[in-house]
Each structure stands twice: as C-alpha cells, then as structure tokens.
Amino acid sequence: MTAPSLAQRPSKALLVGLVVSGVLALIVLAVMLYSGGPIGFGLSALLAVAPLPVLLAAVLSLDRLEPEPKLHLAFAFAWGAGVAIVLGVALTVAGQQLFLRAGYGSAAVEYIGTVVLAPVVEEALKGSALLLLLRRRMEIDGLTDGIVYASMAGLGFAAVENVGYYLLSYDQDGISAAVQVFVVRGLIDPLGHPIYTSMIGLGVAYALTHRTPARYAAIPLGYAAAVFLHGLWNGAASTGSLGVLGVAYLVIMGALVLLVVVTVLERRQLVARMGYYLPAYEPTGVISPADVQMLTTLPARKAARQWARRVGLGRAMSDYQQAATELTMLHVRAERQAVDPIRFQLERDQHLRTMALTRRW
C-alpha cells in the first residue's frame, strides 16, 4: 500500500493534445489503408510495429530509476505520430512548392526537401512536444528525462512514417522491396528519429536544470544538432553510396553512445546523492544505515529487489526504492530552484509515508 500521490493533475491542454494527436495519427493511417489496400497496408503496418516493443522497452529502460508519468509519455509518442507527421508533410511539401515556383528543377527540389526541409521541419515539430511539456517542468528533472520524452516523440513519428515508406515500396515493387526498406529502417537504423530528437531533449532538459548562462543556448544548439544528424543521414542515403552511408551511420551511433553515457552518469550521480540526503531521515525510523547503503549503489538496489522477490516482498521493495528516489529528487529540485515550502513538506511527507508503509524488513 502506498500513500496518495501529490502529482500534478493532467492539464486539459495535455489531454486535448493527446486526443488531437491520436486522432490525426488514425486519420493518416486510414488514408494509407484506403490508398494502399488492406494487404499492402497490413504488411506495412506489421513491419512498422514489429520492432516497436523492443524499441519502447529500450527507451523506457533508461527511465527505470525515476519513471515519468505514463500520460506524458503517451502524449509525446502520440504527438510524434500525429501532429508532427501531418504538419511535417504539409510544411515540407509547401516548402518544396516554393522552390519549384522559384525556378528550381524537380530533382533539386526533391533533394532540398529530403536533406534540408524535412530535417528542419520535422525536428522542430517533434521537439515541440518537449516545449509543450515545459509547463509541467517538475516532470523534467534531468537530462535523462529530456532524452526519454524526445525519444518517445521520435518513435511515434518513425512508426507512422515507416508505414508510409513500406507501403510505397510495396506498391512499386512488391513484398521484397518493402522488406528491403524494413531491413534499413527497421533493423539497421531503427533509432534514427529518437536519436535526432534526443539532441533537442538534451537541450531542453539542460535549460531547465541548470542556472548557467549557457542554458540560453542549449535549446537552439540541441535543435541544430538534431537537424544536422537528420540531414546527414538523409543526405548520405540520397547518394546511394554505402561508404558515405556508413560514415553517417557511425556518426549517428556516436551520438547514441553519448546519450547512453549521459544517462548512465546521471543515474549514478542521482544514486550517489541519496547518500547525502537520506541519512537525515534515519531518526524517523523509515530508513536505516543499511538501507542507505543499499539505496546508494545500483548493484545493491538490484540485489535487494532480487532478495525481496524471493521472500515475497518484491513490490514493497520496488515501491520503497521508488519513494526514496522521489524523496531525493525532491531535495535536488529544491536545491536547484525555489520550491514552495508547503508543497515541499507535503511531498516529503508523502514519500516518507510510502517508505514507512512499504518497509517490511
């Protein structure tokens, strides 16, 4: 049993955004179904969805220490799959029309649309999901949160976009062509969109969690990095050269390694901060020196959960560790920015009650 949550209620704007995005995504998929037929659409949708559970699990695994609200994650995914897709296509096509009217040839316009317009427009739209969440800034406590929200928007966008690519290939050259595109987009580079947009996520999260002058440049720099990586991949793919594509792939994989390193270091830092804040609560009886030792290293936390599952206390241990993590994050937020004293006390007491109710060892 856990104490009642004091989390912010879902805002009407968030709920409206979720519904609108979901409806737009369904409309796009319905149009694809109508234009491509049930067989082609069914195959394309299957190929697009097949890697999604693994990709979602990979992204959400970054967020195990302090999970984000499911509604906010769903909003980011739906925004990418709906609003970002619809506006991305519309604005890119509109931009291409302007270049056509300016006298550019069709081949040049196609290249500009793929390498310049699509990255500029799509990254702005996917990244806007994080800007819309700025009003819920208490949910973005660190760089990992920015990466997770951005990745969800990227996965939503990629899932719907991939249906379109697979369907187009199927209509032109049949099943084998659709499968070939799936190998590239679904197996070799399935994390492209999440990686690009995660650059924006890093910028937004840095701007929210730091008070240095550099924070003002973080968001535009993150956006520029996202556009660069996206344009690099699209440009390399348009050359038809495996060598050029390989270089672009290595650069993007380097960005992925950076994101993983950031999340690992931040997770370790947060766990270490528990050793600074939690001992002050030992007099309350909800935590002991042994508990502090268990909570302040990732291997010890994992070993404690394994022991708890063996003795039937798996859920209690998970809730206890989560409440202790949230209590630490509350102190980190208070240290970083002004927090209303009454709200701080209410949230602190909630976490302490949860720890007291779940501590059965």
Side-chain angles (χ1 to χ4, degrees), residues 92-166:
T92 299
V93 171
Q96 288 177 306
Q97 291 301 313
L98 291 177
F99 280 99
L100 281 173
R101 293 174 184 175
Y104 287 81
S106 58
V109 169
E110 183 66 24
Y111 182 82
I112 292 171
T114 300
V115 180
V116 180
L117 293 178
V120 168
V121 171
E122 291 173 5
E123 294 311 319
L125 290 168
K126 287 183 293 175
S128 63
L130 283 97
L131 297 179
L132 292 170
L133 287 169
L134 288 181
R135 292 183 60 189
R136 316 289 289 183
R137 59 179 60 206
M138 289 182 62
E139 299 301 342
I140 301 181
D141 293 314
L143 302 181
T144 300
D145 293 348
I147 293 171
V148 169
Y149 283 122
S151 295
M152 292 298 289
L155 285 176
F157 187 96
V160 176
E161 184 185 54
N162 283 345
V163 175
Y165 274 108
Y166 301 151

Side-chain angles (χ1 to χ4, degrees), residues 9-168:
R9 293 181 179 179
S11 69
K12 291 182 180 179
L14 185 69
L15 293 174
V16 170
L18 178 59
V19 172
V20 170
S21 299
V23 169
L24 287 176
L26 290 175
I27 291 174
V28 171
L29 293 173
V31 171
M32 291 180 184
L33 172 60
Y34 177 79
S35 62
I39 296 177
F41 176 81
L43 173 65
S44 301
L46 179 63
L47 293 175
V49 171
L52 200 54
V54 175
L55 299 176
L56 286 171
V59 170
L60 295 178
S61 69
L62 302 175
D63 198 34
R64 287 178 299 170
L65 196 60
E66 194 230 345
E68 298 306 303
K70 292 181 176 60
L71 182 64
H72 293 180
L73 295 173
F75 165 78
F77 184 89
W79 182 270
V83 172
I85 282 285
V86 172
L87 292 182
V89 172
L91 293 176
T92 299
V93 171
Q96 288 177 306
Q97 291 301 313
L98 291 177
F99 280 99
L100 281 173
R101 293 174 184 175
Y104 287 81
S106 58
V109 169
E110 183 66 24
Y111 182 82
I112 292 171
T114 300
V115 180
V116 180
L117 293 178
V120 168
V121 171
E122 291 173 5
E123 294 311 319
L125 290 168
K126 287 183 293 175
S128 63
L130 283 97
L131 297 179
L132 292 170
L133 287 169
L134 288 181
R135 292 183 60 189
R136 316 289 289 183
R137 59 179 60 206
M138 289 182 62
E139 299 301 342
I140 301 181
D141 293 314
L143 302 181
T144 300
D145 293 348
I147 293 171
V148 169
Y149 283 122
S151 295
M152 292 298 289
L155 285 176
F157 187 96
V160 176
E161 184 185 54
N162 283 345
V163 175
Y165 274 108
Y166 301 151
L167 186 57
L168 181 62

Side-chain angles (χ1 to χ4, degrees), residues 168-220:
L168 181 62
S169 299
Y170 173 83
D171 288 342
Q172 292 176 343
D173 298 302
I175 294 177
S176 61
V179 172
Q180 288 177 3
V181 176
F182 167 73
V183 170
V184 176
R185 298 184 66 88
L187 298 180
I188 296 177
D189 188 41
L191 288 172
H193 279 290
I195 292 172
Y196 311 150
T197 314
S198 286
M199 299 296 107
I200 302 175
L202 281 177
V204 171
Y206 185 92
L208 282 176
T209 57
H210 290 73
R211 290 293 174 265
T212 63
R215 74 183 187 274
Y216 296 108
I219 295 178

Side-chain angles (χ1 to χ4, degrees), residues 299-344:
R301 290 168 70 100
K302 182 179 179 180
R305 291 194 301 272
Q306 292 174 339
W307 166 82
R309 284 194 292 268
R310 289 196 297 268
V311 299
L313 296 174
R315 178 60 184 273
M317 178 61 76
S318 295
D319 288 345
Y320 181 83
Q321 290 185 352
Q322 183 62 41
T325 303
E326 295 288 350
L327 179 59
T328 302
M329 288 306 308
L330 177 63
H331 279 279
V332 171
R333 285 198 301 271
E335 184 181 86
R336 189 172 62 225
Q337 62 190 35
V339 175
D340 178 67
I342 295 177
R343 182 170 182 86
F344 178 90

